[in-house]
């Protein structure tokens, strides 16, 4: 079976073929020149290893890229039949499951509703049953997966323990490895959902080929990720880039984290929906709030613009500290496009040390809306496996 031959190459050996397989798993379709940059291997070594992998049916040539001059450049990818992996989002009231192959094609992506405040045991039972169903429908068993990635709305320690701050408060302190490791019958990876979102954008979206960037996600809560030299920075205990809990006003509203005046209490969509309800007298969902704002609802548009102004203030702090070349803006509020982004960038310029107007074109921070505003976290959970990151079991 091809997957049995691919697994050991993904998980640690330093053979040239293994380095190439891991680079392809993370990057998808790639050239020999790209592999030279990614692995540091000599061109002759890469050529020999590619020939061996192709003869073993572990990689395939998928197309040629023509520059209009000279011979076309060959593109290689892992054989889609060599392995599949899955990603799971543990959401507030849904469990979302996606299945991809090693060539980065999405084979399945669906959401399963679940009652709020579900337990880890509940989640494990649902995931095991539904993932098994998806895999069988695609023609293989769960045990054949190269791995399952879990995206969780909370910081995750390197050992796979859920830290405080989750939208699933009953999960604080849960050891994900002990809950899921023995029940899914394949390797398990886990990370914070914002880190997963960054991996999704690096793999398929707005940050392809970008070694350094900051992602900040404005949704019901606010989270983020810092990527340096192509690696997500998790911090020593897994809580790096919790931008939603930067304190902007020590005397402000009480946050769910126990502090006061966090960014999330001012610009998180949960707060905006509360203000909308206080004004209109009725509840509104985030989807409806966004749609009505886009259609011209004056009050909702003002709330989004105010949130963007505060968000830009926070980005100014982040930019002054980290000076990233790219900010990727994700989450529900980013779906309003220019309504949110323009005010966010204006506010950032006002609060950052490095003003774009004073810098040459190549030295100005860039802003991009994330490509995956609906399913970034579940695709990022898949990418945990493709990039072989954050394995816990």
């Amino acid at each position: 079976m091809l997957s049995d031959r691919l697994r050991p190459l993904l998980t640690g050996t330093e053979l040239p073929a293994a380095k190439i397989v891991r680079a392809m798993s993370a990057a998808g379709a790639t050239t020999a020149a790209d592999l030279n940059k990614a692995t540091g291997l000599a061109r002759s070594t890469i050529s020999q290893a590619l020939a061996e992998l192709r003869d073993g049916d572990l990689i395939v040539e998928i197309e040629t890229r023509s520059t209009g001059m000279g011979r076309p450049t060959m593109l290689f990818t892992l054989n889609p039949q060599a392995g599949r992996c899955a990603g799971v989002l543990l959401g507030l009231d849904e469990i979302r499951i996606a299945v991809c192959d090693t060539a980065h094609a999405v084979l399945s992506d669906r959401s399963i509703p679940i009652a709020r405040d579900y337990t880890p045991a509940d989640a494990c039972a649902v995931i095991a049953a539904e993932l098994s169903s998806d895999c069988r429908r695609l023609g293989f068993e769960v045990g054949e997966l190269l791995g399952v990635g879990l995206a969780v709305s909370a910081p995750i320690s390197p050992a796979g323990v859920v830290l405080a701050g989750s939208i699933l408060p009953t999960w604080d302190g849960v050891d994900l490895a002990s809950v899921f490791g023995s029940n899914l019958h394949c390797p398990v990876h886990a990370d914070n959902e914002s880190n997963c979102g960054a991996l999704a954008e690096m793999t398929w979206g707005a940050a392809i080929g970008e070694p350094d960037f900051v992602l900040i996600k404005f949704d019901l809560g606010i989270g983020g990720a810092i990527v340096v030299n192509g690696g997500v920075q998790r911090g020593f205990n897994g809580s790096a880039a919790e931008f939603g809990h930067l304190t902007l006003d020590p005397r402000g509203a009480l946050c769910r984290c126990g502090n006061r005046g966090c960014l999330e209490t001012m610009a998180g969509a949960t707060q905006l929906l509360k203000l909308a309800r206080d004004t209109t007298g009725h509840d509104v969902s985030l989807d409806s709030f966004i749609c009505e704002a886009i259609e011209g609802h004056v009050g909702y548009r003002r709330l989004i613009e105010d949130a963007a102004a505060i968000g830009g203030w926070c980005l100014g702090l982040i930019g002054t500290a980290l000076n990233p070349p790219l900010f990727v803006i994700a989450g529900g509020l980013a779906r309003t496009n220019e309504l949110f982004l323009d005010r966010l960038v204006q506010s950032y310029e006002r609060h950052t040390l490095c003003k774009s107007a004073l810098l040459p074109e190549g030295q100005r921070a860039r802003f991009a809306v994330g490509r995956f505003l609906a399913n970034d976290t579940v695709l990022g959970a898949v990418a945990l496996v493709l990039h072989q990151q954050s394995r816990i079991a």
Side-chain angles (χ1 to χ4, degrees), residues 11 103 113 348:
T11 55
Y348 168 81

Side-chain angles (χ1 to χ4, degrees), residues 15 21 34 56 63 88 100 103 115 132 152 194 205 207 235 256 270 280 347 370:
L15 292 172
V21 162
D34 294 331
E63 63 177 84
V88 176
C100 296
S132 178
V152 185
S194 295
R256 63 190 172 94
T270 296
T280 63
S347 179

Side-chain angles (χ1 to χ4, degrees), residues 3 29 56 107-108 117 122 206 231 233 236 262 291 302 346 354 361:
S3 60
L107 307 177
S108 174
D117 296 325
D122 293 336
Q233 305 301 296
F236 82 95
C262 295
C291 288
R302 178 57 187 269
Q346 290 170 11
C354 299
E361 184 69 32

